Amino acid sequence: MSRIAFVNGRYKRHSDAVVHIEDRGYQFSDGVYEVILVKNKNFIDEKKHFDRLDYSLTSLDISWPMKKNSMRQIMQELVYKNRFVTGIIYIQITRGVARRDHSFPKGIKPALVMTARRLPKSNDGDIKSGVSVITIKDIRWGRCDIKSVSLLPNVLGKQEARNQGAYEAWQIDNEGFVTEGTSTNAWIVSSHGVLITRGLSNQILSGITRLTLIKIATELNFKFEERQFSVDEAKSSREAFLTSSTSFLTPVTQIDGVVIGNGAVGLLSMRLLQAYHQYINSSEI
Amino acid sequence: MSRIAFVNGRYKRHSDAVVHIEDRGYQFSDGVYEVILVKNKNFIDEKKHFDRLDYSLTSLDISWPMKKNSMRQIMQELVYKNRFVTGIIYIQITRGVARRDHSFPKGIKPALVMTARRLPKSNDGDIKSGVSVITIKDIRWGRCDIKSVSLLPNVLGKQEARNQGAYEAWQIDNEGFVTEGTSTNAWIVSSHGVLITRGLSNQILSGITRLTLIKIATELNFKFEERQFSVDEAKSSREAFLTSSTSFLTPVTQIDGVVIGNGAVGLLSMRLLQAYHQYINSSEI
């Protein structure tokens, strides 16, 4: 299936979509990205994604390559050109192309790459049966709040999960608390029925689905605490799940081989997921 | 000045040297690199660089894109095509091109990019007068022994140094000890005349110039200790310097504005540099 990408001002066939070898994204991971869910041609939580993109760019002192409105038009065009109504938009912005030198080059334009595609695969199966996660030491850098392409530790963690037949790896800080998954946020429902996810800091990414679910849970009057939780607390929790723009809310039924709750997908998780689906389906541009 | 690069099997004009947007080096910083000094067409410490490249590749489970001998031939050809006798070769190997997914793709070829150029600029001035460094918190990930392109914290640290008018930033671990610079290793000569540099671990890169200088210092019967040193010890040291394949041995005469020794380039540093130059000039392929 041929796909169309947007690369530095031009629409390109996927096979011809290239960047220069001295793009600083390639040599220094000097760039940021976003993945936005497209549902019935609507960009879900678009404003939150743009706000986070702005935060990432500002944190790295990279300027916007174009106005948000222009970017939105390209996103719409990409959905049209790639002939889908439900899928994802991937946006990557790097500091641009410059002769290799660690420090910031002056007077160069940021590079912008955008791709669009149908969702990789349906995760209905994972959602119905739940997934297993392993735990690994969090060895990432100190600014995980920036959604940068400096993702090598995340790649290694995800692969470690795959090697062990798991869906995701939850990363553990030096104090034994769960930070987050390698590409998802981590949640539990305590034995007292309290929904819990870690608070924002430099150690985790402010997930958009995480933000939306907090809002939904509050509206549903769920008991909710934004705080850190240990691996032990997670293993003895009633329910657990992970969230991201592409995995929505995916129940976790095993952590390091320990069965969570009764091993089935939790009721609170399912209620949240239903409410999230309602939210997505009612979203309008 | 037009330059020639080697990109995935072909020699390309620099302006046409491109990689695919889904090269995992671009989207995940899933790759490694080496910078090799070329002096009178000799590749300085070639074996050590290849050994380290092998270590980095093995650590990430990326296979060699071709045999070392073939790579050496391309390096020679690049020096010839770019018409210099003294300069640097940059080698980057990534996991290759694949549909975006954190975990390792199966059955893809690693990507190989090589560039060659004259040394960016003479650093004779820096070596004669010395440079200043600042200290910053080391916020990098837990596998700095792998020479990966996941260099965003290094980029930010180097820029912070530039913003403060310094040449380099020395990174400080949680216990107050110097790990290394953002692209160089850190050394001091204690008040007792002992040459000191931090020992190898996951926290620093095994610099090739560092290895060579340890060998030289031992041959010269210098008092040498491979151990960690604090910022305070560095600031009260007699001499300080930094090393890398492109900055050789560059004296440090100020740390966070504190003058080191009497503010002039140290005698032991200069003896080491002379010996290093002899070593380079006597190297043969």
Side-chain angles (χ1 to χ4, degrees):
Chain A
M1 185 194 69
S2 109
R3 289 186 282 142
I4 306 297
F6 180 86
V7 184
N8 291 321
R10 292 186 186 177
Y11 293 97
K12 295 278 191 181
R13 280 189 307 187
H14 187 71
S15 54
D16 301 330
V18 293
V19 291
H20 196 265
I21 56 169
E22 290 199 323
D23 185 306
R24 290 175 60 95
Y26 197 60
Q27 296 191 322
F28 291 113
S29 63
D30 191 5
V32 302
Y33 74 106
E34 284 291 330
V35 179
I36 302 177
L37 178 66
V38 186
K39 179 87 183 182
N40 297 324
K41 296 191 181 175
N42 290 326
F43 304 121
I44 304 302
D45 284 327
E46 176 192 321
K47 184 180 180 311
K48 289 189 195 126
H49 282 284
F50 276 132
D51 285 352
R52 185 171 65 183
L53 186 55
D54 188 63
Y55 176 80
S56 297
L57 290 169
T58 303
S59 299
L60 299 184
D61 203 13
I62 298 176
S63 49
W64 280 80
M66 60 173 63
K67 288 182 180 164
K68 286 177 203 171
N69 266 339
S70 308
M71 203 176 284
R72 185 182 300 111
Q73 281 172 20
I74 294 163
M75 288 160 61
Q76 287 166 342
E77 188 70 18
L78 277 179
V79 170
Y80 173 75
K81 284 182 188 294
N82 286 284
R83 301 180 186 186
F84 67 83
V85 293
T86 295
I88 54 171
I89 295 276
Y90 174 82
I91 303 171
Q92 180 168 348
I93 299 171
T94 73
R95 200 177 303 280
V97 176
R99 188 186 176 104
R100 189 176 184 280
D101 182 15
H102 282 66
S103 58
F104 301 172
K106 289 199 177 92
I108 63 164
K109 278 181 62 174
L112 170 61
V113 169
M114 294 167 71
T115 62
R117 68 182 199 208
R118 288 185 176 81
L119 267 181
K121 56 176 181 178
S122 167
N123 60 356
D124 284 355
D126 293 331
I127 289 172
K128 277 184 189 140
S129 61
V131 298
S132 58
V133 303
I134 59 167
T135 60
I136 59 172
K137 192 177 169 194
D138 194 337
I139 61 165
R140 297 174 303 162
W141 72 318
R143 289 304 306 276
C144 295
D145 53 319
I146 301 171
K147 198 168 173 70
S148 83
V149 292
S150 199
L151 288 171
L152 186 51
N154 307 60
V155 161
L156 297 179
K158 186 75 90 180
Q159 183 59 31
E160 180 62 27
R162 292 284 191 271
N163 289 347
Q164 296 191 34
Y167 181 88
E168 175 63 296
W170 280 6
Q171 298 167 106
I172 312 301
D173 68 17
N174 287 336
E175 283 78 42
F177 295 105
V178 175
T179 54
E180 60 185 340
T182 64
S183 65
T184 57
N185 286 115
W187 303 68
I188 57 169
V189 178
S190 77
S191 51
H192 302 294
V194 181
L195 180 67
I196 300 165
T197 196
R198 189 179 176 113
L200 298 180
S201 71
N202 288 339
Q203 288 182 276
I204 70 165
L205 186 75
S206 176
I208 303 301
T209 308
R210 176 188 175 281
L211 287 179
T212 298
L213 275 187
I214 289 176
K215 189 161 174 288
I216 290 174
T218 309
E219 287 168 0
L220 292 174
N221 287 318
F222 283 12
K223 284 181 277 184
F224 170 67
E225 288 178 13
E226 200 173 2
R227 66 162 170 86
Q228 56 191 15
F229 56 88
S230 69
V231 180
D232 286 344
E233 187 175 6
K235 286 179 181 172
S236 62
S237 64
R238 188 185 290 178
E239 303 180 27
F241 59 88
L242 49 83
T243 56
S244 77
S245 295
T246 53
S247 63
F248 310 124
L249 179 162
T250 297
V252 171
T253 49
Q254 281 195 31
I255 300 173
D256 288 337
V258 174
V259 174
I260 304 306
N262 61 4
V265 171
L267 291 177
L268 194 145
S269 305
M270 291 316 292
R271 279 183 61 197
L272 266 179
L273 179 62
Q274 281 167 6
Y276 184 67
H277 274 307
Q278 277 186 331
Y279 171 81
I280 286 177
N281 289 319
S282 67
S283 286
E284 302 250 335
I285 292 178
Chain B
M1 187 193 67
S2 109
R3 289 184 286 143
I4 306 295
F6 180 86
V7 184
N8 291 321
R10 293 185 184 179
Y11 293 96
K12 294 279 191 179
R13 281 188 307 187
H14 185 71
S15 54
D16 300 330
V18 293
V19 292
H20 195 265
I21 57 169
E22 290 197 324
D23 185 304
R24 289 176 60 96
Y26 197 59
Q27 296 192 322
F28 291 112
S29 63
D30 191 6
V32 303
Y33 74 105
E34 284 291 329
V35 179
I36 302 176
L37 178 66
V38 186
K39 179 85 183 186
N40 299 322
K41 296 190 181 175
N42 291 325
F43 304 121
I44 305 302
D45 284 327
E46 176 192 320
K47 183 180 182 310
K48 291 189 194 126
H49 282 284
F50 276 132
D51 285 350
R52 186 170 64 183
L53 186 54
D54 189 62
Y55 176 80
S56 298
L57 290 169
T58 303
S59 300
L60 299 184
D61 202 14
I62 298 175
S63 49
W64 279 80
M66 60 173 63
K67 288 182 179 162
K68 287 177 203 171
N69 267 340
S70 309
M71 204 177 283
R72 186 182 299 110
Q73 282 171 20
I74 295 164
M75 288 161 60
Q76 287 166 342
E77 188 69 19
L78 277 179
V79 170
Y80 173 76
K81 285 183 188 292
N82 286 283
R83 300 181 187 186
F84 67 84
V85 294
T86 296
I88 53 172
I89 296 275
Y90 173 82
I91 303 171
Q92 180 169 347
I93 299 171
T94 73
R95 199 177 304 277
V97 176
R99 188 186 176 104
R100 189 176 185 279
D101 182 15
H102 282 66
S103 58
F104 300 173
K106 289 198 177 91
I108 62 165
K109 280 181 61 172
L112 170 61
V113 169
M114 294 167 72
T115 62
R117 67 181 200 209
R118 288 185 176 80
L119 268 179
K121 57 175 182 180
S122 165
N123 60 357
D124 284 355
D126 293 331
I127 289 172
K128 277 181 187 141
S129 62
V131 299
S132 58
V133 303
I134 59 168
T135 60
I136 59 172
K137 191 176 169 193
D138 194 337
I139 60 165
R140 296 173 304 161
W141 73 318
R143 290 303 305 275
C144 295
D145 52 319
I146 301 171
K147 196 167 173 72
S148 82
V149 292
S150 199
L151 290 169
L152 187 50
N154 307 60
V155 160
L156 297 179
K158 186 75 91 181
Q159 183 59 30
E160 181 61 28
R162 293 283 191 274
N163 289 347
Q164 295 190 34
Y167 181 88
E168 177 62 296
W170 280 6
Q171 298 167 106
I172 312 302
D173 68 18
N174 286 335
E175 283 77 44
F177 294 106
V178 175
T179 53
E180 60 186 339
T182 64
S183 65
T184 57
N185 285 115
W187 302 69
I188 58 170
V189 178
S190 76
S191 51
H192 302 293
V194 181
L195 180 66
I196 300 164
T197 197
R198 189 179 178 112
L200 298 181
S201 71
N202 288 340
Q203 289 183 277
I204 70 165
L205 185 76
S206 176
I208 303 302
T209 308
R210 175 188 175 283
L211 287 179
T212 298
L213 275 186
I214 289 176
K215 188 162 175 285
I216 290 174
T218 308
E219 287 167 1
L220 291 174
N221 287 318
F222 283 12
K223 283 180 280 185
F224 169 67
E225 289 176 12
E226 200 172 1
R227 65 163 172 86
Q228 55 191 15
F229 57 88
S230 69
V231 181
D232 286 345
E233 186 175 8
K235 286 179 181 171
S236 62
S237 64
R238 188 185 288 178
E239 301 181 28
F241 59 88
L242 48 85
T243 55
S244 76
S245 294
T246 51
S247 63
F248 308 124
L249 181 162
T250 297
V252 171
T253 49
Q254 280 193 31
I255 301 173
D256 288 337
V258 174
V259 174
I260 304 306
N262 62 4
V265 172
L267 290 178
L268 193 145
S269 304
M270 291 316 291
R271 278 183 60 198
L272 267 179
L273 179 61
Q274 281 166 7
Y276 184 67
H277 274 306
Q278 278 185 333
Y279 171 80
I280 286 178
N281 289 320
S282 67
S283 286
E284 303 250 333
I285 292 178

Short mmCIF file of all heavy atoms in Angstrom, two decimals, chain A residues 95-123:
data_model
loop_
_atom_site.label_atom_id
_atom_site.label_comp_id
_atom_site.label_asym_id
_atom_site.label_seq_id
_atom_site.Cartn_x
_atom_site.Cartn_y
_atom_site.Cartn_z
N ARG A 95 15.70 19.96 15.05
CA ARG A 95 16.31 21.29 15.01
C ARG A 95 16.74 21.67 13.59
O ARG A 95 16.99 22.85 13.33
CB ARG A 95 17.52 21.35 15.96
CG ARG A 95 17.92 22.77 16.34
CD ARG A 95 19.08 22.80 17.34
NE ARG A 95 18.79 22.05 18.55
CZ ARG A 95 18.07 22.52 19.57
NH1 ARG A 95 17.60 23.75 19.53
NH2 ARG A 95 17.83 21.76 20.62
N GLY A 96 16.83 20.70 12.70
CA GLY A 96 17.16 21.00 11.31
C GLY A 96 18.49 20.42 10.88
O GLY A 96 19.09 19.60 11.60
N VAL A 97 18.94 20.81 9.70
CA VAL A 97 20.15 20.26 9.10
C VAL A 97 21.31 21.21 9.31
O VAL A 97 21.20 22.41 9.02
CB VAL A 97 19.93 20.02 7.58
CG1 VAL A 97 21.22 19.53 6.93
CG2 VAL A 97 18.80 19.03 7.36
N ALA A 98 22.40 20.69 9.83
CA ALA A 98 23.60 21.53 10.04
C ALA A 98 24.83 20.64 10.11
O ALA A 98 24.73 19.46 10.47
CB ALA A 98 23.47 22.33 11.33
N ARG A 99 25.95 21.21 9.77
CA ARG A 99 27.23 20.53 9.93
C ARG A 99 27.33 20.00 11.36
O ARG A 99 26.99 20.68 12.31
CB ARG A 99 28.33 21.57 9.67
CG ARG A 99 29.71 21.03 9.62
CD ARG A 99 30.67 22.24 9.50
NE ARG A 99 32.03 21.81 9.54
CZ ARG A 99 32.83 21.75 8.48
NH1 ARG A 99 32.38 22.08 7.29
NH2 ARG A 99 34.08 21.36 8.61
N ARG A 100 27.80 18.77 11.51
CA ARG A 100 27.75 18.12 12.82
C ARG A 100 28.57 18.85 13.88
O ARG A 100 29.78 19.02 13.75
CB ARG A 100 28.22 16.66 12.71
CG ARG A 100 27.98 15.87 13.98
CD ARG A 100 28.36 14.41 13.83
NE ARG A 100 28.02 13.68 15.04
CZ ARG A 100 28.77 13.68 16.14
NH1 ARG A 100 29.91 14.31 16.15
NH2 ARG A 100 28.38 13.01 17.22
N ASP A 101 27.90 19.28 14.93
CA ASP A 101 28.52 19.94 16.08
C ASP A 101 27.48 19.88 17.20
O ASP A 101 26.31 20.19 16.98
CB ASP A 101 28.86 21.39 15.74
CG ASP A 101 29.55 22.11 16.89
OD1 ASP A 101 30.02 21.43 17.82
OD2 ASP A 101 29.62 23.36 16.86
N HIS A 102 27.89 19.46 18.39
CA HIS A 102 26.89 19.25 19.46
C HIS A 102 26.04 20.49 19.73
O HIS A 102 24.84 20.40 19.90
CB HIS A 102 27.59 18.83 20.75
CG HIS A 102 28.01 17.39 20.78
ND1 HIS A 102 28.96 16.88 19.95
CD2 HIS A 102 27.59 16.33 21.54
CE1 HIS A 102 29.12 15.57 20.20
NE2 HIS A 102 28.29 15.22 21.16
N SER A 103 26.68 21.67 19.81
CA SER A 103 25.91 22.85 20.21
C SER A 103 24.94 23.28 19.11
O SER A 103 25.07 22.88 17.96
CB SER A 103 26.87 23.99 20.56
OG SER A 103 27.70 24.27 19.48
N PHE A 104 23.94 24.10 19.49
CA PHE A 104 22.90 24.50 18.55
C PHE A 104 23.50 25.29 17.38
O PHE A 104 24.22 26.26 17.62
CB PHE A 104 21.86 25.42 19.21
CG PHE A 104 21.13 24.83 20.38
CD1 PHE A 104 20.28 25.64 21.14
CD2 PHE A 104 21.25 23.50 20.73
CE1 PHE A 104 19.59 25.12 22.23
CE2 PHE A 104 20.56 22.97 21.82
CZ PHE A 104 19.74 23.80 22.58
N PRO A 105 23.18 24.93 16.17
CA PRO A 105 23.59 25.77 15.03
C PRO A 105 22.71 27.02 15.00
O PRO A 105 21.60 27.03 15.55
CB PRO A 105 23.30 24.88 13.83
CG PRO A 105 22.23 23.95 14.28
CD PRO A 105 22.39 23.76 15.76
N LYS A 106 23.20 28.05 14.36
CA LYS A 106 22.43 29.30 14.27
C LYS A 106 21.78 29.43 12.91
O LYS A 106 22.34 29.04 11.90
CB LYS A 106 23.35 30.50 14.52
CG LYS A 106 23.80 30.61 15.97
CD LYS A 106 24.31 32.02 16.29
CE LYS A 106 24.68 32.12 17.76
NZ LYS A 106 26.10 31.81 17.99
N GLY A 107 20.58 30.01 12.90
CA GLY A 107 19.95 30.40 11.64
C GLY A 107 19.53 29.26 10.73
O GLY A 107 19.50 29.44 9.51
N ILE A 108 19.23 28.10 11.29
CA ILE A 108 18.73 27.03 10.42
C ILE A 108 17.24 26.82 10.69
O ILE A 108 16.73 27.17 11.75
CB ILE A 108 19.48 25.69 10.60
CG1 ILE A 108 19.31 25.14 12.03
CG2 ILE A 108 20.93 25.84 10.23
CD1 ILE A 108 19.68 23.68 12.13
N LYS A 109 16.56 26.25 9.69
CA LYS A 109 15.13 26.01 9.82
C LYS A 109 14.88 24.65 10.46
O LYS A 109 15.53 23.67 10.10
CB LYS A 109 14.49 26.00 8.42
CG LYS A 109 14.17 27.36 7.87
CD LYS A 109 13.52 27.24 6.51
CE LYS A 109 12.19 26.49 6.58
NZ LYS A 109 11.50 26.50 5.26
N PRO A 110 13.93 24.57 11.37
CA PRO A 110 13.57 23.25 11.91
C PRO A 110 13.06 22.36 10.77
O PRO A 110 12.50 22.85 9.79
CB PRO A 110 12.44 23.55 12.89
CG PRO A 110 12.44 25.01 13.10
CD PRO A 110 13.11 25.65 11.93
N ALA A 111 13.29 21.07 10.90
CA ALA A 111 12.78 20.11 9.91
C ALA A 111 11.44 19.57 10.39
O ALA A 111 11.23 19.38 11.60
CB ALA A 111 13.78 18.97 9.74
N LEU A 112 10.53 19.33 9.45
CA LEU A 112 9.19 18.83 9.79
C LEU A 112 8.85 17.63 8.93
O LEU A 112 8.89 17.70 7.70
CB LEU A 112 8.14 19.92 9.58
CG LEU A 112 6.67 19.48 9.67
CD1 LEU A 112 6.34 18.92 11.04
CD2 LEU A 112 5.74 20.64 9.32
N VAL A 113 8.56 16.52 9.58
CA VAL A 113 8.13 15.31 8.88
C VAL A 113 6.79 14.87 9.47
O VAL A 113 6.61 14.85 10.69
CB VAL A 113 9.16 14.17 9.08
CG1 VAL A 113 8.60 12.84 8.60
CG2 VAL A 113 10.46 14.49 8.35
N MET A 114 5.84 14.54 8.60
CA MET A 114 4.55 14.04 9.08
C MET A 114 4.15 12.83 8.26
O MET A 114 4.25 12.84 7.04
CB MET A 114 3.48 15.13 8.96
CG MET A 114 3.73 16.31 9.88
SD MET A 114 2.71 17.75 9.50
CE MET A 114 1.13 17.17 10.03
N THR A 115 3.71 11.78 8.96
CA THR A 115 3.18 10.61 8.26
C THR A 115 1.78 10.33 8.78
O THR A 115 1.39 10.82 9.85
CB THR A 115 4.06 9.36 8.50
OG1 THR A 115 4.07 9.06 9.90
CG2 THR A 115 5.48 9.59 8.02
N ALA A 116 1.04 9.56 8.02
CA ALA A 116 -0.33 9.21 8.41
C ALA A 116 -0.60 7.80 7.98
O ALA A 116 -0.20 7.37 6.90
CB ALA A 116 -1.32 10.16 7.74
N ARG A 117 -1.27 7.06 8.83
CA ARG A 117 -1.60 5.68 8.45
C ARG A 117 -2.77 5.16 9.29
O ARG A 117 -3.09 5.72 10.34
CB ARG A 117 -0.38 4.77 8.62
CG ARG A 117 0.02 4.55 10.06
CD ARG A 117 1.26 3.67 10.16
NE ARG A 117 1.40 3.11 11.49
CZ ARG A 117 2.57 2.78 12.05
NH1 ARG A 117 3.69 2.95 11.39
NH2 ARG A 117 2.61 2.26 13.25
N ARG A 118 -3.35 4.10 8.80
CA ARG A 118 -4.37 3.42 9.59
C ARG A 118 -3.74 2.94 10.88
O ARG A 118 -2.52 2.79 10.97
CB ARG A 118 -4.91 2.22 8.82
CG ARG A 118 -5.80 2.60 7.66
CD ARG A 118 -6.42 1.38 7.00
NE ARG A 118 -7.34 1.79 5.95
CZ ARG A 118 -6.95 2.13 4.72
NH1 ARG A 118 -5.67 2.07 4.39
NH2 ARG A 118 -7.84 2.54 3.83
N LEU A 119 -4.53 2.70 11.88
CA LEU A 119 -4.00 2.16 13.13
C LEU A 119 -3.26 0.86 12.82
O LEU A 119 -3.74 0.05 12.02
CB LEU A 119 -5.11 1.90 14.13
CG LEU A 119 -5.39 3.04 15.10
CD1 LEU A 119 -6.49 2.65 16.07
CD2 LEU A 119 -4.14 3.41 15.88
N PRO A 120 -2.08 0.66 13.42
CA PRO A 120 -1.25 -0.50 13.11
C PRO A 120 -2.04 -1.80 13.10
O PRO A 120 -1.90 -2.61 12.23
CB PRO A 120 -0.21 -0.52 14.22
CG PRO A 120 -0.13 0.90 14.69
CD PRO A 120 -1.48 1.51 14.46
N LYS A 121 -2.85 -1.99 14.11
CA LYS A 121 -3.68 -3.20 14.15
C LYS A 121 -4.74 -2.95 15.21
O LYS A 121 -4.57 -2.12 16.09
CB LYS A 121 -2.86 -4.43 14.50
CG LYS A 121 -2.10 -4.30 15.81
CD LYS A 121 -1.37 -5.55 16.19
CE LYS A 121 -0.67 -5.35 17.53
NZ LYS A 121 0.02 -6.52 17.99
N SER A 122 -5.80 -3.66 15.11
CA SER A 122 -6.83 -3.55 16.14
C SER A 122 -6.29 -4.09 17.45
O SER A 122 -5.60 -5.09 17.48
CB SER A 122 -8.05 -4.36 15.72
OG SER A 122 -8.90 -4.50 16.83
N ASN A 123 -6.52 -3.39 18.53
CA ASN A 123 -6.10 -3.92 19.83
C ASN A 123 -7.30 -4.40 20.63
O ASN A 123 -7.24 -4.49 21.86
CB ASN A 123 -5.26 -2.89 20.60
CG ASN A 123 -6.02 -1.61 20.89
OD1 ASN A 123 -7.15 -1.45 20.44
ND2 ASN A 123 -5.40 -0.72 21.63
#
